[in-house]
């Protein structure tokens, strides 16, 4: 600006405006430092703000996915330990039945084995009816408020002791849980998968009940008993398969969780880069601004003391 | 005959006195807004011819004049209007800018919290605490929409107040200018030498500058010293000694808006208001406020309302397709009022000048929220059938498509946007309505359900089970679904992205107006500098002038003393 003549008021205005501008610049940097954000309002950088909002929404989504995976891990973990215990019980059952199937075993020993199997049957039923900390039955699929394998009883209501009496086994599914964008993890490992013979449709408890009855029968038939053993072996294989499925899903959940954590970190980083503050830069701008303001103030005070009126003697 | 030196010295004394007085006046007014420094214009008196040649007769004060430029003043006036316009717009948009992306008032966090709660509920649909959490998130979302609408609404109210205030300032200025016109003409006609009434002129210029800040005016200088002022549209504000009042009144098309216009007498002698179109006012604060209200504010408010309507409609549809924890069919999660959804969120305002003998009303019966935008429509009856155009456009009206018994507003691909019915089979031609399809959604949104069991997380097929989450998965999927802005075959955007687009649009607008406002302010400062350089008072200069006129005065005094001495010497000869 070429300044020729300058009025006194103009001189004051120029100086005060400059100082006001410097002060508001400093206030802005202080606000940025106080909030550790470079972009405080959309107008500061509209694109960066929209990017940050999008990234934050994405990050919140991954957080929700990982919280879902937390649930999935709990549920699968509980299934895994339950099925592990189930395997242990099944090994004992197999051993006991094998000893009873031996041709040298007499009725008394069979009665003892039957008694032992009776206890193991209830142990196995207990495992199949495992509930999580919220009281949901883990092998009931979405019918989680219903006991999957009830104890047969004669009294009303008539309960036959089959899997989820109120529903047909085929209609029992688990639920799909969103674990990442476009991937829902199916939790449908049900009592039907783990404790029921897919061919005959009979569950382990019914087969064991028949086997126990056979052991106690005066007309014990080894062939019939071996038939039950075979049926149980087939069910135990399904239990193992179910446990393998659980393991596969747990591994997938773990992998997806790691990817989610990385994605979330990337999005958080995107948001921070878009609207976050470069402290070193802001602090150096702050001290530079302070210096400039100080210089302006000193220059203003010094120069406004100059006036020709000082030299006119009163 | 008296010695002419006395007369010459006396004229010098007078001139120096006038100089001293003017310098003192300048010093006294150094900080007066709009003051232009004054200068005494001296003229040498015509000299007397003698045999020896022309002998000088002294000095005359020709006039006291302002150091002033019409050209710079005109530039200043324009720069003032420009700067005030953008500063008004920017100050209003900045208020939206400050709230829209804020964590505690914006929508982004509430939306993503809502969808996170839907995820948690999808994981544990039988868990009452997950259901309660989802219900609370829905409540937060609804109240966030209410809050944003409230921010917009109070901004509308404050803009209306500013319009009223601006109009008051315009009227104050124009009546004072008319009064000054009168005084200036009177003084100028009495003035002997035609010297200008500087200080009255300064006062009037300052008032015109104040007026220009409120509204852009065209200034016409008349030969008698008065000025006429006109709006950019040609409407007169001041003609000589009369000022025309500007008034505000409630908009016949929208009771929430104030319109501004000049009062005119109609043929029957009643006062009526001829309203100004914000876009025809040019610049100035008034145009800025009107333009913000008519363009940005309405668009922002309607966009937020569109999001509320879309979320509400989509979630309610999903609810209806599922079963709640008791196995019963789901009911609406979000409510918008006691009527039908379409009636609850739309608003139709008949023009207050519509026929009263043959009244017609319009009811909105449906719309396609996946295709609608933020626009409102102006519907007018032409030839007995409704025609429409976007509100605020000056384009041609399009006849609404009859899809009996309703009429439809359609997009370019012939898809229905809004469907409405007329209460009258033979409506009066010229009756008009402002139809806002979704403007009330954000304001009216509430959560209709109070019990967590009522959330329909389960699907509606097969035997009901408490752990069924298939319906809630649809809510989860909604976050990414492109359910907005699909008009004219566009692929659309998701609700979150739609909101982020709005944030970015507001940010860009705020930035645009801030930058425009700052650059106009810089121009104004520059022109002010130029004016101050020319017309402002410099104290050192005045101090120097003081010394100069003091010396001139002393010198003229010395001349009188000297000539007295000389005269006495001559007398002493006798």
């Amino acid at each position: 600006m070429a300044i020729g003549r300058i009025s006194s008021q103009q001189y004051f205005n120029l100086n005060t405006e400059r100082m006001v501008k410097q002060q508001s610049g400093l206030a802005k940097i202080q606000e940025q430092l106080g909030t550790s954000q470079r972009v405080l309002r959309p107008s500061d950088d509209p694109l960066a703000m929209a990017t940050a909002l999008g990234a934050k929404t994405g990050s919140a989504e991954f957080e929700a996915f990982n919280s879902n995976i937390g649930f999935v891990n709990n549920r699968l973990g509980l299934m895994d330990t339950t099925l592990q215990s189930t395997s242990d019980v099944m090994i004992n059952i197999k051993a006991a039945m094998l000893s009873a199937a031996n041709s040298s075993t007499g009725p008394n020993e069979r009665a003892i084995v039957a008694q032992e199997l009776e206890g193991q049957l209830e142990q196995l039923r207990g495992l199949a009816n495992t509930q999580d900390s919220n009281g949901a039955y883990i092998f009931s699929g979405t019918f989680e408020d219903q006991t999957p394998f009830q104890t047969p009883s004669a009294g009303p209501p008539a309960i036959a002791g089959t899997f989820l009496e109120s529903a047909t086994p085929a209609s029992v599914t688990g639920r799909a849980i969103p674990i990442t964008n476009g991937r829902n993890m199916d939790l449908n490992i049900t009592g039907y998968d783990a404790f029921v013979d897919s061919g005959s449709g009979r569950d382990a408890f019914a087969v064991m009940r028949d086997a126990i009855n056979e052991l106690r029968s005066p007309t014990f038939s080894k062939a019939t008993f071996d038939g039950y053993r075979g049926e149980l072996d087939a069910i135990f294989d399904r239990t193992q398969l179910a446990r393998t499925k659980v393991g596969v899903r747990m591994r997938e959940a773990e992998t997806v969780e790691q990817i989610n954590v990385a994605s979330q970190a990337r999005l958080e980083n995107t948001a921070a880069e878009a609207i976050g503050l470069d402290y070193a830069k802001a602090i150096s701008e702050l001290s530079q601004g302070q210096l400039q303001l100080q210089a302006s103030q000193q220059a203003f005070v010094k120069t406004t003391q100059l006036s020709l009126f000082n030299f006119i003697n009163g | 005959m008296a010695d002419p030196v006395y007369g010459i010295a006396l004229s010098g004394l007078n001139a120096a006195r006038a100089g001293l007085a003017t310098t003192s006046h300048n010093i006294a007014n150094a900080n007066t807004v709009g003051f232009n420094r004054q200068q005494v214009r001296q003229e040498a008196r015509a000299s007397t011819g003698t045999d020896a040649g022309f002998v000088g007769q002294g000095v005359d004060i020709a006039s006291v004049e302002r150091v002033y430029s019409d050209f710079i003043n005109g530039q200043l006036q324009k720069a003032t209007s420009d700067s005030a316009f953008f500063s008004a717009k920017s100050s209003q948009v900045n208020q939206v800018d400050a709230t829209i992306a804020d964590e505690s008032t914006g929508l982004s966090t509430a939306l993503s919290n809502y969808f996170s709660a839907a995820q948690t509920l999808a994981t544990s649909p039988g868990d009452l605490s997950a259901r309660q959490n989802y219900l609370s998130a829905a409540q937060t979302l609804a109240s966030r929409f209410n809050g944003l609408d409230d921010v917009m609404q109070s901004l509308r109210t404050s803009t209306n107040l500013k319009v009223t205030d601006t109009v008051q300032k315009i009227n104050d200025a124009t009546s004072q200018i008319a009064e000054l016109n009168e005084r200036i003409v009177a003084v100028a006609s009495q003035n002997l030498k035609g010297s200008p009434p500087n200080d009255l002129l300064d006062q009037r210029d300052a008032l015109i500058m104040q007026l220009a800040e409120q509204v852009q005016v065209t200034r016409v200088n008349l030969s008698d010293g008065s000025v006429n002022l006109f709006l950019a549209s040609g409407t007169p504000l001041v003609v000589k000694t009369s000022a025309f009042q500007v008034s505000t009144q409630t908009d016949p098309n929208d009771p929430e808006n104030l319109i501004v216009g000049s009062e005119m007498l109609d043929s029957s002698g009643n006062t009526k208001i001829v309203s100004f179109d914000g876009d025809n006012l040019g610049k100035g604060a008034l145009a800025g406020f009107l333009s913000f209200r008519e363009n940005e504010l309405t668009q922002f408010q309607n966009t937020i309302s569109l999001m509320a309507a879309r979320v509400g409609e989509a979630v309610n549809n999903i609810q209806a397709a599922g079963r709640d924890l008791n196995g019963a069919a789901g009911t609406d999660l979000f409510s918008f009022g006691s009527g039908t959804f379409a009636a609850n969120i739309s608003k139709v305002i008949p023009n207050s000048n519509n026929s009263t003998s043959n009244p017609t009303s319009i009811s909105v019966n449906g719309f396609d929220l996946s295709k609608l935008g933020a626009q409102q429509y102006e519907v007018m009856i032409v030839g007995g059938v409704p025609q429409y155009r976007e509100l605020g456009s000056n384009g041609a009206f399009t006849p609404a498509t009859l899809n009996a018994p309703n009429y439809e507003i359609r997009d370019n691909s012939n898809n229905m946007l809004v469907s409405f019915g007329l209460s009258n089979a033979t409506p009066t031609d010229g009756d008009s309505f402002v139809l806002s399809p979704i403007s009330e959604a954000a304001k009216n949104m509430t959560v209709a359900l109070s019990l967590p069991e009522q959330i329909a997380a389960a699907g509606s097929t097969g035997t009901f089970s408490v752990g069924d989450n298939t319906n809630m998965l649809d809510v989860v999927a909604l976050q990414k679904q492109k359910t907005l802005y699909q008009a004219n075959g566009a692929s659309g955007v998701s609700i979150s992205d739609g909101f982020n687009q709005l944030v970015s649009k507001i940010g860009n607008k705020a930035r645009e107006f801030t930058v425009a406002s700052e650059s106009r302010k810089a121009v104004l400062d520059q022109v002010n500098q130029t004016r101050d350089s020319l017309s402002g008072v410099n104290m050192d200069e005045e101090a120097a002038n003081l010394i100069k006129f003091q010396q001139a005065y002393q010198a003229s005094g010395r001349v009188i003393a000297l000539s007295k001495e000389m005269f006495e010497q001559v007398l002493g000869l006798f």
Side-chain angles (χ1 to χ4, degrees):
Chain A
M1 175 174 53
I3 298 179
R5 186 180 179 280
I6 186 164
S7 80
S8 302
Q9 174 124 52
Q10 184 183 359
Y11 184 73
F12 273 92
N13 286 348
L14 274 174
N15 277 289
T16 46
E17 255 169 47
R18 185 177 305 136
M19 286 186 284
V20 165
K21 213 172 237 176
Q22 284 169 336
Q23 268 171 350
S24 63
L26 282 177
K28 179 97 197 175
I29 299 174
Q30 276 167 346
E31 200 185 358
Q32 288 178 334
L33 282 168
T35 55
S36 69
Q37 259 180 250
R38 178 181 66 86
V39 180
L40 298 162
R41 277 170 286 278
S43 61
D44 292 337
D45 191 340
L47 181 65
M49 186 57 106
T51 306
L53 284 179
K56 279 182 185 168
T57 302
S59 158
E61 245 182 301
F62 280 113
E63 201 169 318
F65 284 138
N66 277 347
S67 134
N68 292 356
I69 289 177
F71 175 86
V72 166
N73 280 340
N74 269 336
R75 175 57 66 90
L76 290 176
L78 185 54
M79 279 185 178
D80 187 52
T81 51
T82 309
L83 291 174
Q84 165 72 54
S85 310
T86 307
S87 288
D88 294 347
V89 174
M90 282 176 170
I91 287 165
N92 293 339
I93 292 171
K94 275 171 115 172
M97 287 178 81
L98 185 63
S99 70
N102 196 318
S103 54
S104 65
T105 310
N108 287 342
E109 281 110 333
R110 280 202 294 274
I112 292 167
V113 171
Q115 193 55 43
E116 191 187 338
L117 285 176
E118 198 78 65
Q120 280 158 344
L121 169 61
E122 287 318 310
Q123 217 179 334
L124 195 62
R125 194 193 302 280
L127 286 167
N129 288 340
T130 300
Q131 288 169 280
D132 71 6
S133 54
N134 290 325
Y137 292 96
I138 62 173
F139 292 115
S140 282
T142 59
F143 295 83
E144 59 194 23
D145 56 340
Q146 297 179 27
T147 318
F149 298 99
Q150 300 202 20
T151 315
S153 105
I159 292 172
T162 50
F163 176 62
L164 278 173
E165 327 211 355
S166 65
T168 49
S171 77
V172 178
T173 56
R175 59 176 168 271
I177 298 206
I179 55 168
T180 191
N181 282 320
R183 173 80 177 101
N184 291 349
M185 179 166 280
D186 218 334
L187 279 185
N188 71 347
I189 290 167
T190 65
Y192 184 76
D193 298 317
F195 299 98
V196 179
D197 181 347
S198 58
S200 67
R202 275 154 47 88
D203 61 46
F205 315 102
V207 177
M208 278 183 78
R209 171 63 49 212
D210 285 348
I212 291 166
N213 288 344
E214 189 60 36
L215 284 176
R216 285 172 178 160
S217 166
T219 59
F220 172 75
S221 152
K222 185 175 179 314
T224 312
F225 187 68
D226 282 346
Y228 296 140
R229 281 182 58 210
E231 224 178 320
L232 272 176
D233 278 351
I235 293 174
F236 293 173
D237 285 348
R238 274 173 66 80
T239 311
Q240 288 308 320
L241 185 64
R243 191 168 169 226
T244 309
K245 277 191 199 167
V246 169
V248 167
R249 280 176 204 178
M250 284 175 82
R251 266 201 303 283
E252 190 194 342
E254 197 181 326
T255 312
V256 169
E257 188 175 17
Q258 282 165 4
I259 296 172
N260 283 354
V261 167
S263 302
Q264 195 188 353
R266 181 176 49 74
L267 287 167
E268 289 285 338
N269 196 35
T270 305
E273 270 179 9
I275 61 168
L277 185 66
D278 180 345
Y279 271 94
K281 192 159 163 259
I283 289 170
S284 101
E285 277 174 3
L286 183 72
S287 42
Q288 196 184 344
Q290 281 170 329
L291 210 65
Q292 281 170 347
L293 178 60
Q294 206 176 18
S296 298
Q297 287 169 334
Q298 282 173 351
F300 179 64
V301 170
K302 287 241 162 84
T303 50
T304 44
Q305 283 166 350
L306 300 173
S307 169
L308 186 52
F309 283 101
N310 294 340
F311 301 98
I312 299 178
N313 299 320
Chain B
M1 169 191 137
D3 188 334
V5 176
Y6 277 119
I8 293 172
L10 195 60
S11 75
L13 274 180
N14 283 340
R17 258 192 178 287
L20 282 169
T22 303
T23 303
S24 312
H25 187 62
N26 284 344
I27 291 169
N29 283 296
N31 295 325
T32 305
V33 177
F35 178 78
N36 296 296
R37 73 192 160 102
Q38 298 176 8
Q39 280 177 345
V40 176
R41 194 159 61 80
Q42 303 185 168
E43 254 173 26
R45 278 181 187 162
S47 44
T48 319
T50 64
D51 293 345
F54 288 92
V55 176
Q57 293 291 305
V59 68
D60 271 333
I61 302 162
S63 63
V64 180
E65 286 171 348
R66 302 191 287 167
V67 178
Y68 169 84
S69 155
D70 255 340
F71 174 70
I72 291 174
N73 199 57
Q75 280 194 320
L76 193 56
Q77 192 185 315
K78 183 181 178 302
T80 302
S81 295
D82 275 4
S83 171
F85 175 82
F86 285 105
S87 147
K89 269 202 120 159
S90 136
S91 73
Q92 300 304 90
V93 175
N94 280 343
Q95 294 183 48
V96 187
D97 185 40
T99 46
I100 196 73
D102 191 278
E103 295 253 328
S104 56
T105 52
L107 200 56
S108 203
T109 322
L111 259 181
S112 70
N113 284 349
Y114 171 75
F115 284 113
S116 294
Q119 292 239 15
T120 309
L121 180 49
T123 305
S124 311
D127 182 3
L128 278 181
S129 65
R131 285 171 168 268
Q132 188 57 57
N133 176 44
Y134 174 76
L135 210 52
S136 309
Q139 259 147 9
T140 309
L141 183 63
S143 62
R144 199 58 69 86
F145 272 120
N146 302 155
L148 274 177
D149 189 76
D150 202 43
V151 168
M152 300 294 163
Q153 201 51 41
S154 51
L155 205 50
R156 187 172 294 273
T157 312
S158 84
T159 308
N160 280 337
L161 282 176
K162 285 189 168 155
V163 165
T164 317
D165 184 49
T166 307
V167 165
Q168 183 63 47
K169 284 180 179 157
I170 291 172
N171 288 336
D172 283 356
T174 51
S175 57
Q176 288 183 63
I177 291 166
E179 216 176 282
L180 276 167
N181 266 347
E182 192 172 1
R183 285 174 61 194
I184 287 166
V185 171
V187 171
S189 65
Q190 289 164 7
N191 193 298
L192 300 172
K193 289 181 186 165
S195 275
N198 294 324
D199 297 302
L200 292 179
L201 293 180
D202 278 355
Q203 276 179 39
R204 190 177 63 188
D205 285 339
L207 280 167
I208 293 174
M209 217 55 79
Q210 283 172 29
L211 179 64
E213 200 176 330
Q214 310 306 327
V215 67
Q216 182 183 326
V217 287
T218 311
R219 169 181 177 155
V220 178
N221 293 327
L222 301 180
S223 56
D224 65 358
S226 59
V227 296
N228 288 353
L229 298 172
F230 302 92
L231 291 174
S233 57
T235 312
L237 280 181
V238 177
V239 175
K240 293 207 165 182
T241 56
S242 346
F244 295 90
Q245 294 282 298
V246 174
S247 326
T248 54
Q249 80 171 32
T250 307
D251 187 344
N253 279 326
D254 186 354
E256 279 168 14
N257 275 350
L258 278 181
I259 55 164
V260 183
S262 50
E263 287 176 6
M264 299 278 171
L265 292 180
D266 66 9
S267 49
S268 41
N270 298 321
T271 313
K272 65 164 191 167
I273 288 189
V274 180
S275 80
F276 304 149
D277 183 346
D279 296 336
N280 288 342
L281 279 178
K283 298 292 191 289
L286 180 61
F289 290 129
L290 290 177
S291 156
F292 166 74
R293 196 186 65 191
E294 284 158 24
N295 300 307
E296 287 79 19
L297 179 59
T298 304
Q299 195 192 33
F300 298 161
Q301 194 169 14
N302 283 341
T303 304
I304 289 165
S305 219
L306 177 67
M307 312 269 162
R310 193 70 184 107
V311 173
E313 186 192 45
V315 170
N316 284 351
N317 285 345
I318 294 171
Q319 271 282 120
R323 282 177 291 184
D324 69 13
L325 197 52
N326 301 319
T331 56
D332 284 353
L333 171 60
F334 292 109
S335 163
F336 294 87
S338 53
T340 64
F341 180 57
N344 286 336
I345 71 165
S346 63
K347 185 169 73 171
V348 181
I349 299 168
N351 191 292
S352 60
N353 300 322
N354 282 1
S355 164
T356 46
S357 54
N358 178 30
T360 307
S361 64
I362 283 183
S363 54
V364 176
N365 295 325
F367 29 59
D368 187 343
L369 294 181
S370 69
K371 298 193 174 65
L372 267 179
Q375 59 272 60
Q376 294 167 292
Y377 298 94
E378 188 179 353
V379 178
M380 186 182 271
I381 307 295
V382 179
V385 293
Q387 301 202 344
Y388 67 89
R389 68 177 176 193
E390 274 185 35
L391 186 66
S393 88
N394 294 319
F397 279 91
T398 313
T401 311
L402 180 64
N403 185 0
N406 289 326
Y407 287 95
E408 291 181 359
I409 294 173
R410 296 191 173 179
D411 71 0
N412 296 340
S413 313
N414 208 26
N415 295 310
M416 183 269 276
L417 293 177
V418 183
S419 162
F420 62 91
L422 295 183
S423 67
N424 187 342
T426 53
T428 307
D429 270 10
D431 274 10
S432 70
F433 305 83
V434 172
L435 191 163
S436 316
I438 40 86
S439 64
E440 308 304 288
K443 180 170 70 183
N444 293 341
M445 192 181 203
T446 54
V447 169
L449 301 182
S450 52
L451 301 173
E453 293 88 339
Q454 293 173 305
I455 294 153
S460 59
T461 51
T463 315
F464 170 76
S465 63
V466 295
D468 182 1
N469 69 348
T470 46
N471 212 41
M472 198 38 64
L473 288 179
D474 287 347
V475 177
V476 171
L478 184 63
Q479 186 171 19
K480 284 222 155 35
Q481 256 165 36
K482 299 185 169 177
T483 53
L484 285 171
Y485 304 138
Q486 292 172 333
N488 305 323
S491 60
V493 301
S494 71
I495 291 164
S496 302
D497 286 347
F499 179 73
N500 291 347
Q501 279 182 9
L502 175 68
V503 168
S504 151
K505 184 182 267 178
I506 291 172
N508 274 313
K509 279 281 172 203
R511 172 170 251 209
E512 176 191 329
F513 291 132
T514 305
V515 169
S517 165
E518 277 168 3
S519 70
R520 296 314 198 286
K521 175 79 169 51
V523 171
L524 176 62
D525 286 348
Q526 185 67 56
V527 181
N528 250 323
Q529 303 266 352
T530 314
R531 191 209 82 99
D532 279 353
S533 293
L534 178 74
S535 307
V537 177
N538 179 312
M539 285 300 195
D540 283 344
E541 187 182 57
E542 299 304 328
N545 282 343
L546 214 52
I547 296 168
K548 178 175 82 180
F549 290 122
Q550 190 191 16
Q551 284 177 351
Y553 188 83
Q554 283 169 341
S556 291
R558 247 356 254 162
V559 170
I560 291 175
L562 217 64
S563 52
K564 178 180 169 246
E565 222 172 280
M566 281 159 59
F567 187 58
E568 278 169 355
Q569 263 178 6
V570 173
L571 281 182
L573 293 176
F574 300 99

